[in-house]
Amino acid sequence: MLLADKSVIITGASRGIGRAAAIECARQGANVVIGYSGSPSSRAAVDELIQEIEALGRRAVAVGAPAEDPDTGQLLVDAAVEQFGGVDVFVNNAGICPFHSFLDMPRQTYLDTVNTNLNGAFFAVQAAANQMKRQGRGGAIIAVSSISALVGGGMQTHYTPTKAGLLSLMQSCAVALGPYGIRCNALLPGTIETDINKEDLADQKKRDYMAGRTPLGRLGRPEDLAGPLVFLASDMAQYVTGASLLVDGGMYVNLQ
Ligand SMILES: NC(=O)C1=CN([C@@H]2O[C@H](COP(=O)(O)OP(=O)(O)OC[C@H]3O[C@@H](n4cnc5c(N)ncnc54)[C@H](O)[C@@H]3O)[C@@H](O)[C@H]2O)C=CC1
Ligand SMILES: C[C@H](O)[C@@H]1OC(=O)[C@H](O)[C@@H]1O
């Protein structure tokens, strides 16, 4: 097992990529703090996830708190310390992408996206890093960035800068935290079928176009990210920091 007895925090773990990551971390021996928005509508999914993790013989606790709140990171860390004795891995995954055109972007849509995806992440990563430093045994921090950190999207002008920001945050944190043995890396998914793009991909033409751009011939599934994420979290990646791992079925390199 690659994460035996590790204490892992994952934000936005109620569904999608975060959920698949939580299950794979547990399968690899970790106990998991499940960060979720705190909305009552997510609670049933979170309870189901806890049961699934417990069925794997591991422990899980849920912390409901909005990603955009600068105090949320510390709440997650406190839960990990109290329940599992510390933090070994912190995964910043929570995110939103409300597709919208640029020229008439509502101010609040822009602010919500930046606050949820990037500003909250900064404070959460800071809280996790301080705990790891206190523990003195290093750690791994992973930000779920995106292929959108590298390329643009006309309906994503508020979103792509947050993903580029997360990539940059991991690069700078790798420098700042390397002396403490804390590795910081970015995971860059391509187009993965989840709730975040359900509406967008309901357009069959768009869906076919996105799948057609992908050399591996299909859109991604949340499980496709789980293995690469566990790799970055584990000692298999002990000399990997400041890196970005693109997991996109080859979409990015497919020009013609
Ligand atoms: N699905 C895709 O094609 C890609 C997704 N990503 C990123 O992966 C991450 C996970 O997204 P998916 O699993 O695809 O979508 P999803 O919509 O299924 O999951 C997003 C998660 O974030 C949580 N979340 C949203 N707003 C929150 C808030 N204010 N506070 C706390 N939690 C909040 C949701 O409850 C959910 O658990 C996001 O950061 C997204 O930007 C990156 C590249 C591609
Ligand atoms: C939400 C999008 O479909 C998805 O998110 C990203 O980061 C990429 O742009 C994907 O296509």
Side-chain angles (χ1 to χ4, degrees):
M1 287 199 283
L2 292 174
L3 300 175
D5 295 321
K6 299 282 187 199
S7 168
V8 176
I9 299 173
I10 305 177
T11 69
S14 64
R15 60 177 196 236
I17 293 169
R19 186 179 202 281
I23 290 169
E24 190 54 36
C25 286
R27 210 175 269 139
Q28 295 295 335
N31 298 314
V32 186
V33 174
I34 298 163
Y36 77 106
S37 63
S39 91
S41 60
S42 303
R43 191 62 224 196
V46 168
D47 287 340
E48 207 175 288
L49 176 59
I50 291 174
Q51 283 175 17
E52 212 168 313
I53 289 173
E54 287 176 350
L56 292 167
R58 306 311 309 177
R59 294 174 58 206
V61 291
V63 175
E68 63 273 25
D69 185 335
D71 293 329
T72 288
Q74 192 58 52
L75 292 179
L76 293 163
V77 166
D78 290 347
V81 171
E82 195 182 306
Q83 297 291 325
F84 308 137
V87 182
D88 298 298
V89 178
F90 179 78
V91 182
N92 194 91
N93 168 74
I96 55 172
C97 182
F99 285 76
H100 206 287
S101 43
F102 175 62
L103 293 175
D104 57 350
M105 178 78 65
R107 195 174 279 188
Q108 201 55 47
T109 304
Y110 172 77
L111 292 172
D112 287 347
T113 305
V114 175
N115 284 332
T116 302
N117 295 6
L118 184 59
N119 292 338
F122 178 92
F123 294 109
V125 166
Q126 189 185 45
N130 272 307
Q131 177 59 29
M132 288 173 182
K133 180 187 167 210
R134 272 192 295 276
Q135 292 168 184
R137 58 172 193 260
I141 296 175
I142 299 160
V144 180
S145 169
S146 171
I147 188 174
S148 297
L150 310 176
V151 289
M155 298 290 278
Q156 293 178 307
T157 55
H158 50 329
Y159 173 79
T160 60
T162 68
K163 293 294 159 177
L166 285 172
L167 171 56
S168 176
L169 179 65
M170 288 300 96
Q171 290 172 336
S172 288
C173 284
V175 179
L177 301 174
Y180 305 104
I182 302 169
R183 299 183 296 101
C184 301
N185 293 292
L187 188 66
L188 278 57
T191 295
I192 315 300
E193 288 197 78
T194 66
D195 284 0
I196 208 172
N197 50 27
K198 209 173 191 166
E199 226 175 276
D200 186 50
L201 296 175
D203 174 353
Q204 192 62 39
K205 255 173 82 181
K206 170 95 184 259
R207 191 191 172 77
D208 291 346
Y209 168 73
M210 298 305 272
R213 281 200 54 169
T214 309
L216 290 184
R218 64 167 175 83
L219 299 177
R221 307 177 188 114
E223 299 72 35
D224 291 324
L225 277 302
L229 185 139
V230 164
F231 163 70
L232 290 174
S234 77
D235 289 344
M236 299 267 285
Q238 64 185 4
Y239 197 57
V240 180
T241 195
S244 44
L245 180 49
L246 187 59
V247 183
D248 69 343
M251 182 186 271
Y252 178 69
V253 298
N254 185 13
L255 182 59
Q256 46 179 314

